[in-house]
Each structure stands twice: as structure tokens, then as C-alpha cells.
Amino acid sequence: MEQRTIGDVQVSAIGLGGMPMSIEGRPDEGRSIRTIHAALDAGVTLIDTADAYHMYANEVGHNESLIAKALSTYGRDTSGVLVATKGGHLRPGDGSWTVDGSPKHLRAAVDESLKRLGVEAIGLYQFHRPDPTVPYEDSVGVLAELLDAGKIRMAGISNANPEQIRLAQDVLGGRLASVQNQFSPAFRSSEPELELCDELGLAFLPWSPLGGIGRAGELGDRFDAFTVIGASHGVSPQRVCLAWMLTKSPVVVPIPGASRPETIEDSVRAAELTLSADEMAQLNAA
Ligand SMILES: NC(=O)c1ccc[n+]([C@@H]2O[C@H](COP(=O)([O-])OP(=O)(O)OC[C@H]3O[C@@H](n4cnc5c(N)ncnc54)[C@H](OP(=O)(O)O)[C@@H]3O)[C@@H](O)[C@H]2O)c1
């Protein structure tokens, strides 16, 4: 598969989002492991997770543990796979998502993620979401500490606006590697952040690139141009969507979620699809 760059690491142009395998509606563990193995078979070398991808209060890090298990049972070398996790979000177990961006929480959270992933250093650690009660520079300052301590190899942020991206780059002394924001045909308001990442040479990881769990299947119904152009290439609208993002900028690395082997197998093939300038114009306007 085509390779893209996050910091100083080469990864597959399409990554795997782990969230659907650990939150509400998740499949049994066997199917999740088969899905992760199918992604690895297809050449995926970026897996996105978070300590908050779990359902019940007593299973923090469900998704990190699942990924660690899938990698250890793969039976082949997985040392080239970048596992990107996050801290700063919490799930109390009632279905809600809360935030804690305090340095105290983030320092403790990274130690737990290290244990669950079974690594000495986390490949990419992302601050999940700004906490309105904590100055942004204090939360991101912990990432700088963790880089210096060697607990994380690369630092990223998520759900950040242009001002926060510039602030994080400053606090990290130019060591910010990536930004992960929501971006899809249905949610395009992250265009300014995507453009800023392109300008600064930061990887941009669109989350919910297909519109999110439970809505990804409707993408072609909601945005006809993706279906029409997909039909002309003999591919799914979802594959066109991911190719559209890849074509927008070389810094884009989509992380479509999956809970079935078939969906990630379809998604990775977006990296093979070439879209013309005319098709890009139609999709941009769709
Ligand atoms: N940073 C953040 O705040 C944040 C927030 C949300 C998500 N994320 C990350 O972003 C990742 C992706 O977002 P998401 O999972 O919410 O939404 P998504 O990627 O837009 O949609 C996921 C759903 O798309 C389906 N799908 C995947 N490829 C497909 C294809 N080629 N054709 C048809 N359906 C396809 C999957 O179905 P099956 O389940 O049937 O396989 C899956 O349930 C997450 O997994 C997570 O890692 C980050």
C-alpha cells in the first residue's frame, strides 16, 4: 500500500480505527481479532485507539488491550505497526464521554496505556480533546514531558482548532507530529485545520471519515457524487470517500473504523484509486 508519513515514521496511507470494536454495538472478541488481522494482512501499519474506547466503567483501555492481543497473536512481525493511542477522555459507564486534561490524569493515563499495550514507549500519543477547565498549554505540556522521558515516541493532538495547533507546536518545541479531527463528506468544517497541517507538514488523521459508526453505510445515499463516481470505477462510495481525502493532501491519513474484515479490506483499497481533477471538483462540491 502507498505509504504516508507521521513524524519520522512511514505508515500505510489508510489506517484502522479501533473504536467500533470496543464501544456500544461491538462484536465478540474473535471477530475483532479477525478484523485487526485482516487489516494487517492488507498492509495496514497504523492502528488508532484510545484508553476511552470501552463501554463499562471497569474496562478502561478495552480497545488498547484488544489491539495488543491481536498484534501478539498475529504470528508475524508487527514491529513496523504504529499504534496511536490517546488520553484525556473518560467514559463513566453510563454511555457518556467526559474529559480530564489535567497533567495529573494524563501522567497516570499514559502509564496505564503503556502497560496495556505492553511497550516501553508509545508510538504516537495524542491528547484526545481540550478540557475547558485546564489551560491547553498545561495539557500539551505533559506530552512534552513524556517525549523527554522517552515514554512516548511521537506526540499528537485531537479535536484541536488552528490556534491550538499552533500553540501545541510551540509548547512541544516543534515536535508536534499529528492532528486528529473529525472530517468527512458530512462534516467538512475541519478544512482550515487540514490546510494548516498541510502548510506545517503535520499528519492530519480524519476521524469518522465515513460519517461515523452506524452512518457509514449511508454515505452513498446522502452524497450521490460518491456513488456515481464509485460506480464508474466499480468501487464503493466509501472507497471513493477515502481516496478523495488522500488526494486532498499528502499529509492526510484516514483511519476508517471497522468491526468486520470485509469493511477494512474494502477501505484499504482506496489507496489504489486515482481520481481526476474533474472528479475531485465534483466531490468537493457534493
Ligand atoms: N479523536 C476523536 O475524538 C475520535 C472520535 C471518533 C472516532 N475516532 C477514531 O476514528 C476512527 C474512525 O471513526 P469511526 O469509527 O467513528 O467512524 P467511520 O470510520 O466513519 O465509520 C466506521 C464504520 O464504517 C464502516 N465501514 C468502514 N469501512 C467501510 C467500507 N469500506 N464500506 C462500508 N462501511 C465501512 C464500519 O462498519 P463495520 O463496523 O460493519 O465494519 C464501521 O462501523 C475510530 O474508530 C476512532 O479510532 C476518534
Side-chain angles (χ1 to χ4, degrees), residues 142-186:
V142 176
L143 298 184
E145 249 177 60
L146 296 172
L147 282 170
D148 293 340
K151 288 189 179 185
I152 66 173
R153 291 197 210 287
M154 295 192 289
I157 54 175
S158 180
N159 300 299
N161 63 31
E163 195 187 334
Q164 289 161 335
I165 295 171
R166 290 191 189 278
L167 178 58
Q169 185 61 307
D170 195 36
V171 170
L172 290 166
R175 294 180 292 173
L176 180 64
S178 63
V179 175
Q180 180 176 146
N181 276 13
Q182 184 173 12
F183 185 68
S184 67

